[in-house]
Amino acid sequence: KIYQDFLETYDSDGFKQVLDELISLVDELAETVSEDEREAMKQAFMISSQCELDFWEMSYTQETW
């Protein structure tokens, strides 16, 4: 229950709307930058995705450090 409100945010209409807007913005920007900048964008996405996965994995495995 402690994280229920936080988790429900991911399923809210407001979150979905903002996410769609951000995806559109990043897609537009990706069309205007150089190939090197686009590659940097991809790398940033991959790193942030890995961090998100690590975050949820730590929660799932109840990491205590």
Side-chain angles (χ1 to χ4, degrees):
K1 176 71 177 140
I2 188 170
Y3 297 109
Q4 189 65 38
D5 291 340
F6 171 74
L7 294 172
E8 287 175 0
T9 301
Y10 284 93
D11 193 39
S12 69
D13 290 337
F15 182 83
K16 291 174 186 174
Q17 179 181 351
V18 169
L19 185 59
D20 287 343
E21 291 172 8
L22 290 173
I23 289 170
S24 292
L25 175 61
V26 171
D27 286 347
E28 287 176 31
L29 292 172
E31 292 177 8
T32 66
V33 299
S34 70
E35 188 60 38
D36 287 342
E37 290 170 315
R38 196 172 304 114
E39 186 59 34
M41 292 172 74
K42 290 178 188 177
Q43 288 301 314
F45 174 77
M46 296 301 292
I47 291 168
S48 67
S49 296
Q50 185 63 53
C51 289
E52 182 80 2
L53 177 61
D54 291 345
F55 169 80
W56 289 109
E57 180 69 18
M58 288 171 46
S59 176
Y60 179 72
T61 61
Q62 299 180 352
E63 177 70 53
T64 60
W65 294 35

